[in-house]
Amino acid sequence: MNPTLDLLYRLADDQLILGHRNSEWNGLGPILEEDIAFSSMAQDKLGHSLQLYSLLRALGEAEPDTVAFTRNAPQFHCCQLVELPIGEYDFSLTRHFLFDHAELLRFEALATSSYEPLAQVARKLRGELKYHALHANTWMKRLGTATDEAIERMQRSLDFTLPYALGIFEKTDAEAEIISSGLFVGEDELRGRWLESISKVLAQTALEVPDVLALTPVMGGRYGQHTEHLQPLLDEMAEVFRLDPTADW
Amino acid sequence: MLTEANSHQPIGKSQILEWLQAVKDPEIPTISLIDLGVVRGVEVDAVTGKVSVHLTPTFAGCPAMDYMKRDVERALLAHGVPAVEVEISMREAWTSDMLTEAGRQALRQHKLSPPPVIGNQVFDLDFLEYAECPNCHGNNTELRTPFGATLCRAVHYCNDCRQLFEQFKPV
């Protein structure tokens, strides 16, 4: 695939799928503020995915709604991390923390992308993503220094989620060209910055951080290999759209 | 009422901006789109008189954009502008520093704390935690949650007034 399209599909699909997962906390958050926080982040992420699908549209791909609602799981380029069910709050928080640190750093790097339309969008999104990272840090630090039960649950979530988080940085065949053309600094570079960034926060908690780079990453998402959880999510997302794809909502 | 536009001569840009001052944010009725900083450009076609307005969202997922677009179109057409085209883009990404001083006052009027001016300071995470209380104007406040009733608002607490208040987020 053309390197720009390859990069944009990965970015947009991550946002769309995690946005939908976050929205599942609507009405179920452990406290009202968290209900609102996850719902707001869902709204942000759907907005971000729309901006990115619009860039794809300008490059000749299908309309954003068509791209979002008519593909099946093997055609999605999101990492597996974002498609996992919301589970308990500790997992959703840990995923949000690990993903949004990568996302903030990714869009900070993309702000100087050689592809100017993407750089423009990135300059906008990075400011918004700061709030996502701030929110995640606050709760990681709070729960990661709280009761024994809280620390134990957060530790278990961290250990479970880290291998999936490493899948964020899965490279595609276009990676070399993406870097050489100045589109993006590349996944390895991003992973290094991410590790530094999450380590700083985790160091302020009672959580033990394993040797992250020694873990086996959960890969495949960027090539359309997904868990059994993605297709049911897509079916639910598109249920109304598919009733009448020509309807004007 | 007669239309205010002279059909033979395009309307001046300053006139358009004056009319746009009357178009308010759909969710914060005290602030105009101009003072909010979301109007990034106005052009008048010298031949046809068609007015092009460039809007940019405060937050990428803002659901009020379509309403803003519609309100701009309606306001200008009502003044007799022959044609209006509203473009929404992030060519010039909105930052909270684009709020005018009048805009900051309008937010205070609505009991919303205006965001601190970022200028050329480093916009780090600490920045997000600062807010001025819209009641006592003090800064003995703390961030309760970065997500509020709308994407552009955070919730803070004033330790002096002992009250929660909303802030228009710096970004």
Side-chain angles (χ1 to χ4, degrees):
Chain A
M1 198 191 283
N2 160 318
T4 311
L5 298 184
D6 174 278
L7 180 63
L8 286 174
Y9 268 111
R10 280 186 275 146
L11 300 175
D13 288 349
D14 276 354
Q15 302 283 337
L16 177 72
I17 300 304
L18 188 56
H20 271 275
R21 283 298 186 207
N22 282 347
S23 76
E24 293 175 13
W25 279 106
N26 196 327
L28 300 176
I31 55 173
L32 181 62
E33 286 82 354
E34 283 312 277
D35 200 315
I36 295 170
F38 272 86
S39 303
S40 295
M41 290 189 288
Q43 200 181 346
D44 272 337
K45 291 203 186 303
L46 294 186
H48 297 175
S49 74
L50 175 59
Q51 299 301 333
L52 296 162
Y53 288 128
S54 299
L55 293 181
L56 282 163
R57 176 73 188 117
L59 291 171
E61 297 297 287
E63 288 292 339
D65 277 358
T66 307
V67 174
F69 296 129
T70 62
R71 287 176 300 157
N72 283 314
Q75 296 161 292
F76 267 77
H77 305 266
C78 55
C79 58
Q80 293 189 7
L81 173 71
V82 297
E83 69 202 42
L84 297 175
I86 58 173
E88 300 266 340
Y89 178 74
D90 52 63
F91 166 70
S92 277
L93 171 63
T94 306
R95 165 166 63 186
H96 155 44
F97 170 72
L98 297 174
F99 180 79
D100 280 311
H101 270 262
E103 207 63 357
L104 174 57
L105 294 164
R106 186 185 288 280
F107 281 91
E108 278 178 346
L110 287 168
T112 55
S113 171
S114 59
Y115 184 54
E116 184 51 26
L118 176 58
Q120 281 174 9
V121 169
R123 288 196 281 272
K124 178 69 200 151
L125 304 197
R126 66 179 169 177
E128 300 183 12
L129 288 166
K130 283 200 168 81
Y131 286 95
H132 297 212
L134 171 77
H135 175 263
N137 290 355
T138 304
W139 283 100
M140 286 305 289
K141 286 191 264 186
R142 191 177 286 185
L143 293 177
T145 55
T147 61
D148 287 348
E149 189 198 350
I151 293 168
E152 192 201 314
R153 288 179 75 131
M154 293 312 293
Q155 184 69 57
R156 219 182 314 134
S157 286
L158 186 65
D159 295 341
F160 170 79
T161 315
L162 274 169
Y164 284 97
L166 288 170
I168 297 172
F169 312 104
E170 178 180 11
K171 286 176 268 190
T172 63
D173 297 338
E175 182 73 0
E177 213 179 318
I178 285 171
I179 297 172
S180 66
S181 62
L183 267 177
F184 180 56
V185 293
E187 300 299 325
D188 286 345
E189 173 65 28
L190 177 65
R191 191 182 54 194
R193 294 179 191 179
W194 168 81
L195 191 53
E196 199 181 317
S197 180
I198 60 163
S199 299
K200 271 188 207 157
V201 179
L202 292 171
Q204 299 169 58
T205 69
L207 303 176
E208 282 169 34
V209 187
D211 181 359
V212 175
L213 299 184
L215 299 171
T216 306
V218 179
M219 300 290 206
R222 304 304 186 195
Y223 286 97
Q225 291 158 23
H226 295 285
T227 65
E228 73 271 25
H229 306 295
L230 182 59
Q231 190 59 48
L233 175 72
L234 297 175
D235 292 341
E236 186 181 274
M237 262 167 51
E239 197 177 342
V240 176
F241 179 83
R242 287 176 188 166
L243 285 176
D244 182 1
T246 62
D248 188 7
W249 299 97
Chain B
M1 195 181 90
L2 292 170
T3 58
E4 293 165 52
N6 177 332
S7 57
H8 301 296
Q9 203 178 350
I11 304 149
K13 192 171 156 181
S14 57
Q15 176 65 75
I16 300 289
L17 290 172
E18 198 185 310
W19 287 335
L20 288 179
Q21 268 295 349
V23 184
K24 308 294 184 186
D25 180 280
E27 285 170 340
I28 310 168
T30 53
I31 191 169
S32 73
L33 298 190
I34 297 276
D35 288 327
L36 188 59
V38 297
V39 178
R40 303 315 305 163
V42 170
E43 273 167 44
V44 185
D45 189 301
V47 179
T48 62
K50 179 174 139 182
V51 175
S52 306
V53 179
H54 176 211
L55 293 182
T56 197
T58 54
F59 281 73
C62 178
M65 283 317 292
D66 289 342
Y67 294 93
M68 292 186 188
K69 181 177 181 213
R70 186 200 62 190
D71 291 349
V72 166
E73 286 166 352
R74 279 188 186 167
L76 295 182
L77 291 172
H79 281 292
V81 171
V84 181
E85 184 184 43
V86 179
E87 184 211 2
I88 297 171
S89 91
M90 298 203 286
R91 254 194 331 269
E92 200 183 348
W94 186 87
T95 77
S96 46
D97 280 359
M98 290 177 181
L99 281 160
T100 64
E101 197 40 50
R104 290 170 187 278
Q105 279 304 336
L107 291 176
R108 287 190 189 99
Q109 239 181 48
H110 199 67
K111 290 292 177 200
L112 269 173
S113 171
V117 175
I118 301 163
N120 48 21
Q121 302 169 77
V122 180
F123 182 54
D124 58 16
L125 292 185
D126 291 340
F127 227 106
L128 313 186
E129 299 188 321
Y130 176 90
E132 164 201 306
C133 171
N135 301 308
C136 70
H137 307 294
N139 56 15
N140 182 16
T141 63
E142 56 191 69
L143 174 64
R144 278 295 166 84
T145 166
F147 298 103
T150 66
L151 292 184
C152 51
R153 301 185 202 186
V155 179
H156 295 254
Y157 181 77
C158 177
N159 292 315
D160 292 332
C161 298
R162 299 193 178 183
Q163 281 201 48
L164 286 171
F165 64 89
E166 287 188 305
Q167 178 206 34
F168 204 95
K169 289 180 191 175
V171 67

